[in-house]
Amino acid sequence: MMGLKETFFISHGSPTLSIDETLPARHFLQSFREKVFSQRPSSILVISAHWETAHPTVNALSATTLDTIYDFYGFPKPMYKLKYPAPGAPQLAMRVKEALMSSGFKRVDEDKKRGLDHGAWVPLMLMYPEADIPVCQLSIQTDRDATHHYNLGKALAPLKDDGVQIIGSGSATHNLRALRQSNDGSVASWALEFDTWLKESLLNGRYEDVNQYEEKAPNGKVAHPRPEHFYPLHVAMGAAGENAKAELIHHSWSLNALSYASYKFTTAV
């Protein structure tokens, strides 16, 4: 298995990404292997916005088929019938745990029951519809800061050498109370300002600014009233390394303020 140089941050937006053919982000993810990343990973590690724990935790399941978790409410019934029967990756889970603990994280827990939440299975269903690549999830800690998550990523960097694809799944902007239908496709000014700042910071390698986004970014607390949808980006960023090159691989908006900006980070040679 060839090593990988890339990590990814995917904005998964609304759970309706799973069925809504009008969302450009859906078509981007469906074309991911053709247009963005053709190499087949040995396994996939997803850091999802939808798994929050006090300590870093891996789902260490040997199940041949991981459960599909429907952690959303009030959506169209067909969404609750979708399945993503990917195999578990218990060996990867143990390697994640070892990598974190050897890098100074004192406690890393194992969850032997949890399947895949929609932050994992919705994008993976579109990116790798065959569901034949083993998947492991790693949780986030919302009582910690962005630098904690960047350091999580740094500890995970060696996994890429064995073909592990590291994907942070969240949202470039995520203020659900500010979302509204927009017939003219307009975007709220605060969301546009934050999203543009993020793009310019990443493309210019200002990763420390992104780690300190609450102080450095315009409208940081408006774009992310809670940090859970942003921290997966910091993990992906950290796993690529300090001098990694960031590339915007998709950009679209929905509901006036929800950015689907997604990024690839390529490790410096």
Side-chain angles (χ1 to χ4, degrees):
M1 172 58 64
M2 290 179 60
L4 306 184
K5 292 185 172 64
E6 302 87 354
T7 66
F8 298 91
F9 172 69
I10 302 297
S11 285
H12 64 250
S14 167
T16 55
L17 185 67
S18 60
I19 61 169
D20 187 350
E21 293 288 348
T22 69
L23 290 173
R26 177 179 170 86
H27 301 289
F28 153 67
L29 291 171
Q30 288 174 324
S31 68
F32 183 83
R33 286 182 297 177
E34 177 187 351
K35 296 182 178 178
V36 179
F37 188 72
S38 60
Q39 194 170 338
R40 178 184 170 89
S42 61
S43 53
I44 300 172
L45 175 64
V46 179
I47 301 89
S48 167
H50 295 281
W51 191 15
E52 303 176 32
T53 60
H55 304 279
T57 306
V58 287
N59 63 341
L61 281 80
S62 57
T64 53
T65 300
L66 294 174
D67 287 340
T68 303
I69 302 172
Y70 305 103
D71 50 342
F72 44 77
Y73 308 95
F75 285 91
K77 288 183 180 179
M79 291 170 56
Y80 298 91
K81 296 180 180 178
L82 296 171
K83 299 284 185 185
Y84 190 73
Q91 292 178 319
L92 173 58
M94 291 303 96
R95 291 190 58 210
V96 169
K97 180 174 181 175
E98 291 165 8
L100 294 178
M101 297 194 76
S102 65
S103 295
F105 291 89
K106 293 187 170 71
R107 175 175 170 180
V108 180
D109 294 338
E110 301 170 33
D111 187 317
K112 297 184 180 296
K113 295 181 179 179
R114 195 177 195 280
L116 300 178
D117 62 54
H118 82 269
W121 68 260
V122 170
L124 290 180
M125 179 185 73
L126 301 171
M127 298 162 73
Y128 299 104
E130 295 86 359
D132 58 355
I133 301 173
V135 181
C136 172
Q137 279 197 234
L138 172 66
S139 67
I140 57 169
Q141 290 73 61
T142 48
D143 61 341
R144 303 297 299 272
D145 63 8
T147 299
H148 164 85
H149 291 84
Y150 183 78
N151 290 334
L152 279 177
K154 285 174 65 177
L156 298 171
L159 299 176
K160 306 197 305 293
D161 294 338
D162 294 319
V164 177
Q165 185 177 31
I166 298 173
I167 299 174
S169 178
S171 196
T173 60
H174 195 261
N175 185 331
L176 298 184
R177 293 186 176 184
L179 301 183
R180 62 180 178 82
Q181 292 292 342
S182 175
N183 294 329
D184 60 359
S186 63
V187 176
S189 60
W190 61 263
L192 186 61
E193 288 174 10
F194 179 87
D195 189 74
T196 301
W197 174 88
L198 177 61
K199 179 180 70 174
E200 292 175 350
S201 298
L202 291 175
L203 298 190
N204 289 297
R206 298 200 306 268
Y207 299 148
E208 187 53 36
D209 284 358
V210 179
N211 284 340
Q212 299 179 37
Y213 74 97
E214 288 187 315
E215 294 79 32
K216 301 281 189 178
N219 312 305
K221 287 293 279 185
V222 182
H224 292 281
R226 295 187 70 249
E228 82 287 345
H229 273 75
F230 205 37
Y231 284 166
L233 179 141
H234 296 93
V235 181
M237 192 169 72
E242 291 181 11
N243 297 311
K245 178 177 174 56
E247 178 185 346
L248 180 68
I249 53 176
H250 176 73
H251 194 256
S252 60
W253 292 93
S254 71
L255 300 173
N256 190 243
L258 190 61
S259 171
Y260 281 90
S262 296
Y263 292 89
K264 176 174 73 174
F265 300 95
T266 303
T267 302
V269 177

